[in-house]
Each structure stands twice: as C-alpha cells, then as structure tokens.
Amino acid sequence: MKQLMAAILFALCAFAGKAQQISAAEYFIDNDPGAGSGVPITVTVGSIANFTATIPTASLANGFHTVAIRTKDSSGHWGLYESRGFYLSTSTNDAAAINAAELFIDTDPGVGNGTAITPITSGNTVSFTTPIATAALTPGFHTLGIRTQDINGQWGLYESRGFYISTSTNDASAINAAEYFIDTDPGPGNGVTITPISSGNTVSFTTPIPSTSLATGFHFLAIRTRDINGQWGLYESRGFYISTSTGNAPDITAAEFFVDTDPGVGNGTTITPITSGNTVSFTTPIATTSLAPGFHFLAIRTKDNSGQWGLYESRGFYISTATTNMPDMTAAEYFIDSDPGVGNATPIGITTGQTFSQNLPLLVPLSTTPGSHFIAIRFKDADGHWGLYAFDTITVSGSIPVTGLSLMAQKREQKIVVQWFTLSEYNSSHFDLERSSDGTRFEKITQVAAAGSSNSRRDYGYTDATPLKGNNHYRIRQVDRDGQTAYSTVQLVRMDKQQPFAVFPTITSDVVSITGIDGPVQLRLYNAAKQLVQHNTFSNGTTRLSLQKLPAGSYWLLFERDGAILQHEMLIKQ
C-alpha cells in the first residue's frame, strides 16, 4: 500500500541587507510551476517562520521525488526554493536492518571508504557513540557526514552536520541572562525574561510558560542566553502542540524495556509491578552480565488502557570490565548563586568514602538578600578530580539583626590584618573571629565587642600577628544578645603564595581600594543587569575605583588577564 500523506516540519529565515518579513510560502513536488504558482502554505508573518504542512502523495508514482519550498517577503519578492528528496514505495515490509556505519569530514571519500564506526548493533534503528579525531583539522568550519549500510550491502545517503574548530583555549564567557519566545522572534533582548538564573558557564533553570492565549495547532518555543559581555547567542527551538481536548490522556497500564535492539512493540522485557495511571513511576532491575564491554542503549516504552503502545525513549550507558572501585570522595565545597570556580568555593568537611550521607550546616552569608537563591555542591575524589556540581533552590527570609557584614583579610609583611564592618546592628553582642587551616575546622582566635544597636556604619579590625604557615581561612561569627548566631563569608590568605587581589570595602558610597596588582590587568564593572559600566587597565600596585557617579545597587567586579577571569567580587553602592 502506498503511503498517502507526508508531514514536513520547516523553520525558515529571511536574510537581506534590509530587514524583511516572511509573508507567504508555497511548495511544489518535482517540477517548479514558477514563483507564486505552487501550493500555498499558511505561515505566521515574521522574520522567522515556523510551520508544519501536510503534503499528499497518493497521486505520485513509486520512486524518488523532490519536495521544494520557497517564501515571499513583505515587499512581494519570492526567494530561492530549498528542496529535499524522498522515496515512495508500495512495499509494506520493514526496511532491511542496518549493520554498518561510517563517517567522513568535509570530503566524501566514496561509499564504503569512510571511517568505520564500531561497535554497531544491527537493527532497523541504531544508536551509537564514537570518538572523532579533530587534532589535524584547521581552525574554522567543517562538515561531519555519516551514512549507514543495510544487511543487503546497500549504503544509504549520508547526513551531515556543520561544526567549528577554534584555537582559543579560554573558557566561553559566563551566561547571566536568558529569554524565551513562542513562534515569532521579537529580537535579541526583547523576549520574555527567564528568572531566576544563576550566572555560570552552564546554567539550569525551570520556568513556567503560559499557553492559554495560543491557537490550537503546532507552535515553536525558542530559548536563547546572554553572556556577561552582553552578547546574545543563537536561539534553540522545540515544537509543541496545543489541543482543544479537555479529556485526560488514557491511563498507562503496562511498560517494557529493551537494550540496544528493538524486538518489536510488545516483545520487550515486561516491567512489573506497574501501577495504572496518567503518570507512572517504577524501579526495575536490568541484567547486564551478558552485555559486551562498551556503550549500550536502554529503551523504555509504555502502553495505555486502550492497548496503544507509545514511542520508546532511550538513554546510553557504558559497561566496563574494570573491577576496581571508583576513587573515594575526599573533599566537598558549596557556593550560593555564582560559581567562584572549581576549588574556590566554601569548603565542607566530609567523611572520606565512595558514598556520602551527612547532614551539614551550610552557612548563608549575612549579605545574602531575601528571596530565592541557588545553592550548589560538588565533590573531589582521591585522584584530585572535581565532579560536576548539583544544585537546588533555597529561600532566604526573616529579619537580620546585623546587615551589611563585610569581611576582608590582607597579608602585611608577616602579619595578616582582618577588617570588617556592619551597616546596621540590632541587639548584637559580639563578634568571634575564627581561623582555619583547611576551611573546615575553625577555631576562635579573638572576640570583639559589637555596637549593640546602630543605624550607621561601624568598623572593626584585628591583626593576626602569628598566622599559620600556608592557608589561613578567616570568618566572623556574629552573636546576638539572645544567643542567635550568623556567619560571614570566608576569606583566604596564603602566607606562602602570592596574595590575590584585595578589594575593600565591598559596600560603599564612595570609592573602592584594590591592592595586589602585579601586572597588566583588565578590570570590568557590571551592574545588576549585567551591563558593562566601567572598563579600565591597571599595571602594578594599588588603585582606587570610584563609584560616586553610579546609581545605588549591586555590581560585579571582574579581573581579567589574556581573556581569562582571575577573580570576581560583588560590590554594593549605597
């Protein structure tokens, strides 16, 4: 039986010296009837048009055909068409199973002459992961092509994707903003802002997207991000469907899984027990003893109460012959909102081992504003490797007896001067200055009386005349008259290494002093909207940064050298 209909999904862009809007689209099969004479396609007017069209194929002969699409702009000009090939067959049999694959870069060496991809599991659908060497490629754009061979020895057409080789060894700028839009691109910076978002090279977020105003049918959701330099990236989009149906989807009543090769719907390994419902959660053991070492794919699909099976979803995993355990976890650290870099966050004392289960007090700095924040934690193993961080959200609320607690520690000859100040105090008793060699186990080295009650800035200080050799971690333990306590951030001074840049005060209405500059350094100051407001170059010694002409609020101060971020500090302008 010949296939009757073919559904295609396209995303088209208008490019011109002067911005134009796409206002119409059309398609034709095989023969071009001329611009404007094709079959019309309904599109939403815009510089980018996303649409789904159904194309009848019942009248077409068996064999290869070409479908082509072109668009018209708001000035009435039709563009060039873009075409795709497809094949019509009367066969009702499944296509022959795939049993081989190969890849090539840039230049096609001919069918069967590419780089073999192994291992590959034979089947109608194959999934694989393969390393691709790029060391010999020149910087710039390249194309990766992949094609497969069936069990009859027939090679298919290749599919290609572009990629870019860069000589840069610097990390990409951190992401600090994101936005989304539906169907029509309003332009970079004009989409719906996604908040909250934690600045970093990798960001994760969840945001509600209203859909009540959308018409029934297919739509496209697009998301793009902006870095700390104010540059917006390209957006990535996904299609979704709005339905007028008010009935719930049928309950799920069964599930099955398979590894690597699909045995066919209903022929997988049954997952039991499973509780019937719209959403099901289950845990099932999966035998892996018979699997060869290397990459494999686990797939799961479900069946509803009308007997209909859904599509399967798969995940890759790896079988290793190694019999040694993973290295023990030996250290941990956490940070709030902004990642200071691997190894630079607040240390956490943990029990060494392969698993970690421990309740720990993670101190929230007094300078943290009320509201929602991200808290992240990561671990280091015995080989010195840090893992990726995991994060969750926290809510900071309640009255704060001491506000604006800011701490700074500086090396001066063979001593360390520790200074801190508050912006206001209510019912405060005293401050305990604590010191640690590892950032985990702190001991009190002095006590300083607090002002008690004050609505103005109060300055405090202490000189540590006998600092530890190596690392000196300092923090302030603020104690109220009712016994309540809170902690400042931790400051590190290395007595045997070069001192990083010292910035003080971090809360001011006037100027900020910066010491420790030991060569050409780029200084960039960003406001809360992550807009660059100052840019300076320093050489050596000490400098002063004026905030007098800036509006009150929070700012980020970044130190850069040769494109790398050396240090960043948060400033508050009163």
Side-chain angles (χ1 to χ4, degrees):
M1 177 179 178
K2 185 182 296 183
Q3 183 177 338
L4 298 180
M5 306 291 280
I8 61 171
L9 193 66
F10 274 85
L12 300 178
C13 304
F15 294 96
K18 183 178 180 181
Q20 293 286 344
Q21 301 284 301
I22 295 174
S23 60
E26 64 179 12
Y27 77 87
F28 62 87
I29 296 179
D30 295 336
N31 299 314
D32 186 358
S37 300
V39 180
I41 299 172
T42 302
V43 299
T44 301
V45 176
S47 57
I48 297 177
N50 295 299
F51 55 83
T52 302
T54 302
I55 300 177
T57 59
S59 63
L60 298 177
N62 295 330
F64 281 102
H65 296 273
T66 302
V67 60
I69 291 182
R70 64 183 153 219
T71 59
K72 183 173 69 172
D73 66 24
S74 54
S75 300
H77 299 126
W78 285 95
L80 300 175
Y81 64 77
E82 185 170 349
S83 62
R84 293 287 188 276
F86 64 97
Y87 187 83
L88 285 182
S89 172
T90 56
S91 172
T92 57
N93 298 323
D94 289 338
I98 295 169
N99 69 351
E102 66 178 11
L103 67 91
F104 61 87
I105 294 177
D106 295 337
T107 304
D108 185 356
V111 173
N113 297 321
T115 302
I117 299 172
T118 56
I120 182 171
T121 304
S122 179
N124 293 104
T125 302
V126 295
S127 299
F128 50 80
T129 301
T130 188
I132 299 174
T134 60
L137 298 178
T138 58
F141 282 101
H142 296 271
T143 303
L144 169 69
I146 294 179
R147 64 182 152 222
T148 59
Q149 182 192 53
D150 66 22
I151 56 177
N152 298 321
Q154 299 295 318
W155 285 95
L157 300 174
Y158 68 78
E159 185 166 349
S160 63
R161 292 288 188 276
F163 63 96
Y164 188 83
I165 297 290
S166 172
T167 57
S168 173
T169 58
N170 297 324
D171 290 339
S173 299
I175 296 169
N176 67 356
E179 66 178 10
Y180 76 85
F181 61 87
I182 296 177
D183 296 337
T184 304
D185 185 359
N190 297 321
V192 180
T193 302
I194 297 173
T195 56
I197 180 172
S198 178
S199 178
N201 293 102
T202 303
V203 295
S204 299
F205 49 79
T206 302
T207 189
I209 298 176
S211 60
T212 53
S213 63
L214 298 177
T216 303
F218 280 102
H219 297 272
F220 287 83
L221 168 69
I223 292 179
R224 64 181 152 221
T225 59
R226 187 185 67 188
D227 66 22
I228 58 175
N229 297 320
Q231 300 296 318
W232 285 97
L234 300 175
Y235 66 77
E236 186 166 347
S237 63
R238 293 289 187 275
F240 64 96
Y241 189 83
I242 297 292
S243 172
T244 56
S245 173
T246 58
N248 291 326
D251 284 350
I252 296 171
T253 58
E256 65 178 13
F257 74 86
F258 60 88
V259 176
D260 294 337
T261 303
D262 187 357
V265 173
N267 297 322
T269 302
T270 302
I271 298 173
T272 56
I274 182 172
T275 303
S276 178
N278 292 107
T279 303
V280 295
S281 298
F282 48 81
T283 302
T284 189
I286 298 175
T288 60
T289 53
S290 62
L291 298 177
F295 280 102
H296 296 272
F297 287 84
L298 169 69
I300 294 179
R301 65 183 153 218
T302 59
K303 183 174 71 172
D304 65 24
N305 58 16
S306 64
Q308 298 296 317
W309 284 95
L311 300 175
Y312 66 77
E313 186 167 347
S314 63
R315 293 289 187 275
F317 64 96
Y318 188 83
I319 297 291
S320 173
T321 56
T323 57
T324 57
N325 291 326
M326 297 292 292
D328 285 349
M329 290 183 290
T330 58
E333 64 178 12
Y334 76 96
F335 60 88
I336 295 175
D337 292 337
S338 298
D339 186 354
V342 173
N344 297 322
T346 303
I348 304 172
I350 65 170
T351 302
T352 299
Q354 290 188 301
T355 59
F356 173 77
S357 179
Q358 190 173 337
N359 292 323
L360 292 170
L362 302 184
L363 307 177
V364 178
L366 288 175
S367 58
T368 305
T369 58
S372 295
H373 296 269
F374 287 96
I375 188 166
I377 185 172
R378 61 183 156 223
F379 296 89
K380 183 174 72 172
D381 66 23
D383 295 332
H385 300 130
W386 284 96
L388 300 175
Y389 64 75
F391 73 94
D392 205 342
T393 56
I394 59 173
T395 300
V396 177
S397 61
S399 59
I400 302 176
V402 173
T403 64
L405 180 61
S406 183
L407 173 67
M408 185 188 77
Q410 289 181 291
K411 176 183 176 183
R412 293 184 183 174
E413 298 179 348
Q414 298 305 310
K415 301 177 182 180
I416 297 177
V417 177
V418 184
Q419 297 172 292
W420 67 96
F421 66 84
T422 63
L423 295 180
S424 67
E425 298 180 30
Y426 173 73
N427 201 33
S428 60
S429 173
H430 62 272
F431 301 96
D432 290 335
L433 176 61
E434 299 179 344
R435 184 180 65 190
S436 169
S437 61
D438 60 6
T440 302
R441 297 179 294 273
F442 283 85
E443 62 176 359
K444 176 181 172 181
I445 61 173
T446 191
Q447 178 176 311
V448 178
S453 294
S454 172
N455 291 320
S456 60
R457 171 171 168 158
R458 293 300 180 102
D459 292 277
Y460 303 89
Y462 176 78
T463 298
D464 187 357
T466 56
L468 304 172
K469 292 182 179 180
N471 293 338
N472 289 263
H473 299 264
Y474 294 95
R475 73 182 183 189
I476 296 295
R477 178 175 178 263
Q478 184 267 322
V479 183
D480 298 339
R481 289 173 179 168
D482 59 6
Q484 296 293 318
T485 62
Y487 289 85
S488 72
T489 56
V490 176
Q491 292 288 312
L492 170 63
V493 177
R494 299 176 176 92
M495 291 302 293
D496 56 347
K497 296 182 180 180
Q498 184 180 359
Q499 170 74 354
F501 306 114
V503 180
F504 188 81
T506 56
I507 302 177
T508 182
S509 60
D510 192 4
V511 297
V512 174
S513 295
I514 303 170
T515 61
I517 299 173
D518 59 348
V521 174
Q522 298 287 323
L523 185 148
R524 300 177 188 273
L525 185 66
Y526 296 87
N527 61 18
K530 302 305 185 289
Q531 297 170 326
L532 183 65
V533 295
Q534 285 192 35
H535 181 200
N536 304 92
T537 300
F538 299 138
S539 295
N540 291 287
T542 302
T543 190
R544 291 163 64 85
L545 178 68
S546 176
L547 305 183
Q548 290 179 335
K549 296 182 179 180
L550 296 176
S554 58
Y555 294 85
W556 279 104
L557 183 62
L558 273 68
F559 296 88
E560 298 181 8
R561 179 179 290 149
D562 298 328
I565 297 177
L566 306 178
Q567 182 176 328
H568 59 81
E569 300 285 344
M570 184 177 181
L571 305 179
I572 297 178
K573 165 66 185 302
Q574 294 178 311

